Amino acid sequence: MSHGNPPPSPHHPDYLLPWQSSERTPPDPPPDPAGVPAPGRHSDLRRLRTAYRLLRRIAALTALGYFVVFLLLSGFAKELLDTQLFGGLNVGLVLGLCQLPVTLVAIVVYERTARRTVDPLAARIRRAGAAR
């Protein structure tokens, strides 16, 4: 029979799940009122969000747009997709096989653009935050 303290209930602030660390992270210090803009209003952070949003939209619309066009063609332009090209290949099969390269190109363009525009901006924000 154990006479120690009972474990805290799940509603207690000190309750930890088995995968949680027992070390508490200190709360963020209050913002410096000396004219430094709040993190959500910082112009670099706004530019980063805009660049990342644009990057996501372009990549998603490229890959999904091609797929939607292919689906629409297969539903409404069967005659076009049945057109024989050469050696038993028709337009529909070629367009279907082109889906993988189009998706891979979207991924490559996404990564390349992220490395050129989004990553340097994020690094600059990170450095500015560490300098404070």
Side-chain angles (χ1 to χ4, degrees), residues 10-35:
H11 304 291
H12 191 274
D14 292 333
Y15 180 77
L16 293 174
L17 297 171
W19 58 84
Q20 291 176 318
S21 170
S22 61
E23 297 176 13
R24 297 277 184 196
T25 57
D28 290 336
D32 184 23

Side-chain angles (χ1 to χ4, degrees), residues 39-124:
R41 303 213 181 266
H42 197 273
S43 65
D44 283 343
L45 192 56
R46 248 191 338 261
R47 273 190 296 217
L48 177 65
R49 279 193 301 254
T50 302
Y52 185 62
R53 187 180 311 121
L54 182 65
L55 186 61
R56 280 190 326 243
R57 286 180 184 166
I58 289 172
L61 289 176
T62 301
L64 291 176
Y66 185 86
F67 181 67
V68 168
V69 167
F70 180 70
L71 285 178
L72 290 173
L73 285 173
S74 64
F76 298 108
K78 293 180 183 178
E79 304 81 31
L80 172 69
L81 295 183
D82 285 339
T83 305
Q84 293 293 319
L85 294 176
F86 54 87
L89 284 177
N90 60 15
V91 174
L93 186 58
V94 170
L95 288 177
L97 290 173
C98 286
Q99 236 174 318
L100 182 63
V102 166
T103 303
L104 292 176
V105 166
I107 291 170
V108 168
V109 169
Y110 179 91
E111 288 180 356
R112 201 167 165 206
T113 306
R115 264 187 262 122
R116 286 183 175 179
T117 59
V118 176
D119 291 349
L121 193 53
R124 186 169 60 211

